[in-house]
């Protein structure tokens, strides 16, 4: 008889739930709703080249970026799973200008912020992409208003991502460490593969779009040059790795050590990444894994969201490298 060794995501969530006094299972259900949508998106991502789901959807999202059909599909799948799951009152999504509040869910406990498919420019060229999610607890009931999402990252109760890569993984935290689950396609189940992920304090990888070098601050240019210095005794030059997909770059650096930077530039003074559903969840994860996340001046987790699609610069990864990058500012 085949004995299944790895713990499933559902088993893990139920076990973790038992450590929360008074937990009544709504959060567990919410996590399972997200995992279900992730499996459906994964199925389409894996056959994207085979069906007419690629290419431009012909519209633009609130960021003014071309929307690929898979973006739309992913947004629809996560919205549908969260709406039917009954635990989520409203969603703030990269794909929607305003929040999406679910009718009949005015008493649901949770709010979800998400980037349903990050790295969409890579969809057509078969490079890893990902879903990023962040979960907050509502402080009231009744009609959800936009300002309920105007929180700091410290108020998140959970955050995670799903990376659709050589394998599909769900990585998340509830503030008790970071755990990674790999989808076993033979049984359609996420299984614990990376328990208690701790990110290396140092690293030898830097991820930044050097095409923007001449638009960066002198401080950021100095850090890039530091990474490139020939100092074998200090393990430099580092390796430059930039996939153009935050989830993929972040995941590699989380496991191997390294730093990802999307800085302020002359063409994008606040950087490109959004605080609510990209930077804050990644900051929660990296801090739980022993790393750091900053906007160049303060911890990402301390920044108050003032607008749903607010952008901030992001320096995140191994604590020693983030400290070094900030010291060159
Ligand atoms: P650039 C993808 O669009 C994204 O939001 C991140 O996933 C990625 O790291 C970054 O933008 C890439 O942006 O300007 O370097 O192409």
């Amino acid at each position: 008889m085949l004995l299944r060794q790895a713990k499933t995501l559902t088993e893990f969530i139920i076990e973790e739930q038992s450590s929360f006094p008074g937990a009544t299972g709504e959060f567990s259900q919410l996590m399972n709703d997200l995992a279900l949508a992730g499996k459906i998106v994964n199925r389409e991502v894996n056959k994207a080249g085979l069906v007419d789901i690629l290419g431009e959807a012909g519209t633009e999202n609130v960021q003014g970026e071309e929307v690929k059909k898979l973006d739309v599909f992913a947004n629809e799948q996560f919205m549908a799973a969260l709406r039917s799951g009954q635990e989520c009152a409203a969603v703030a999504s990269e794909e929607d200008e305003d929040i999406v509040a679910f009718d009949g869910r005015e008493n649901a406990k949770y709010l979800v912020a998400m980037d349903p498919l990050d790295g969409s420019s890579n969809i057509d060229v078969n490079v890893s992409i990902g879903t990023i999610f962040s979960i907050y607890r509502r402080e009231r009931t009744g009609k959800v208003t936009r300002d309920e999402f105007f929180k700091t990252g410290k108020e998140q109760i959970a955050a995670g991502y799903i990376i659709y890569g050589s394998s599909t993984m769900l990585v998340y935290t509830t503030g008790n460490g970071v755990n990674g689950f790999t989808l076993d396609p033979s049984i359609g189940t996420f299984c614990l593969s990376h328990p208690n992920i701790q990110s290396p304090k140092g690293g030898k990888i830097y991820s930044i779009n050097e095409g923007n070098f001449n638009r960066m601050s002198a401080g950021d240019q100095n850090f890039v040059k530091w990474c490139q210095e020939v100092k074998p005794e200090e393990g430099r030059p580092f390796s430059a790795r930039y996939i153009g997909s935050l989830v993929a770059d972040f995941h590699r650096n989380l496991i191997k050590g390294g730093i990802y930077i999307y800085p302020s530039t002359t063409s994008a003074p606040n950087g490109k990444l959004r605080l609510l559903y990209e930077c804050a969840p990644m900051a929660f994860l990296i801090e739980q894994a022993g790393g750091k996340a900053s906007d160049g001046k303060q911890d990402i987790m301390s920044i108050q969201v003032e607008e749903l699609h607010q952008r901030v610069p992001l320096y995140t990864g191994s604590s020693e490298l983030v400290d070094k990058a900030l010291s060159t500012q």
Side-chain angles (χ1 to χ4, degrees):
M1 180 179 86
L2 177 65
L3 290 176
R4 177 172 49 80
Q5 302 304 316
K7 191 176 294 181
T8 68
L9 175 62
T10 301
E11 289 166 341
F12 183 89
I13 293 171
I14 290 169
E15 267 180 29
E16 198 186 40
Q17 166 190 306
S18 61
S19 64
F20 284 117
T24 53
E26 287 104 333
F27 177 75
S28 303
Q29 180 59 51
L30 180 61
M31 279 302 300
N32 279 306
D33 296 339
L34 290 167
L36 172 62
K39 286 189 274 191
I40 295 169
V41 170
N42 174 66
R43 182 190 64 204
E44 295 308 312
V45 166
N46 282 346
K47 65 181 185 183
L50 303 175
V51 296
D52 179 30
I53 201 164
L54 291 177
E56 318 306 326
T59 59
E60 286 191 347
N61 65 15
V62 293
Q63 322 300 336
E65 295 165 342
E66 291 170 339
V67 175
K68 305 262 184 185
K69 291 176 184 172
L70 211 46
D71 277 342
V72 175
F73 175 83
N75 199 43
E76 289 167 354
Q77 292 308 314
F78 281 97
M79 287 292 181
L82 291 170
R83 178 182 287 112
S84 62
Q86 308 198 14
E87 313 309 339
C88 175
V91 178
S93 169
E94 183 197 32
E95 294 301 327
D96 296 296
E97 196 284 329
D98 201 353
I99 64 170
V100 176
F102 297 142
D103 292 340
R105 300 282 184 274
E106 290 73 17
N107 294 328
K109 282 185 180 175
Y110 300 106
L111 301 172
V112 173
M114 69 175 179
D115 182 353
L117 206 59
D118 173 75
S120 51
S121 57
N122 289 309
I123 291 174
D124 293 345
V125 293
N126 207 16
V127 169
S128 298
I129 50 183
T131 297
I132 307 171
F133 61 87
S134 171
I135 301 173
Y136 291 92
R137 192 189 306 282
R138 280 197 83 186
E139 290 157 13
R140 61 176 187 251
T141 57
K143 179 173 167 40
V144 181
T145 51
R146 193 181 177 101
D147 63 308
E148 291 188 63
F149 285 87
F150 297 173
K151 298 178 182 291
T152 65
K154 287 192 171 71
E155 298 174 79
Q156 293 175 94
I157 63 158
Y161 57 81
I162 299 167
I163 179 169
Y164 311 99
S166 49
S167 66
T168 295
M169 277 189 71
L170 187 151
V171 178
Y172 86 101
T173 183
T174 58
N176 297 302
V178 179
N179 292 281
F181 300 79
T182 299
L183 181 63
D184 179 340
S186 68
I187 56 174
T189 302
F190 283 104
C191 298
L192 183 62
S193 55
H194 296 68
N196 191 29
I197 298 173
Q198 284 298 304
S199 195
K201 291 276 177 269
K204 299 187 176 3
I205 294 170
Y206 70 106
S207 309
I208 188 169
N209 185 339
E210 295 190 50
N212 292 324
F213 185 83
N214 294 322
R215 293 173 170 163
M216 292 177 194
S217 69
D220 289 326
Q221 291 176 342
N222 288 339
F223 178 70
V224 170
K225 289 174 190 165
W226 180 82
C227 292
Q228 296 168 343
E229 273 182 347
V230 181
K231 296 272 186 183
E233 68 279 11
E234 296 179 21
R236 287 181 282 145
F238 292 162
S239 293
R241 294 285 186 275
Y242 192 72
I243 299 171
S245 184
L246 169 62
V247 173
D249 281 315
F250 180 94
H251 183 71
R252 182 204 51 246
N253 292 350
L254 175 74
I255 303 297
K256 293 191 167 187
I259 184 169
Y260 171 98
I261 302 176
Y262 207 106
S264 167
T265 65
T266 50
S267 56
N270 293 318
K272 175 181 182 183
L273 302 178
R274 279 69 99 188
L275 174 58
L276 177 61
Y277 43 76
E278 291 174 328
C279 299
M282 291 318 213
F284 193 10
L285 285 160
I286 198 67
E287 287 197 3
Q288 283 290 310
K292 290 190 174 181
S294 170
D295 71 346
K297 298 184 177 66
Q298 60 186 309
D299 290 348
I300 291 290
M301 294 273 272
S302 304
I303 305 174
Q304 173 81 33
V305 171
E306 292 168 355
E307 264 313 315
L308 292 183
H309 304 290
Q310 164 183 358
R311 300 174 194 261
V312 292
L314 178 65
Y315 301 72
T316 188
S318 300
S319 53
E320 292 170 0
L321 292 181
V322 173
D323 288 344
K324 178 63 183 176
L326 300 188
S327 71
T328 59
Q329 294 309 307

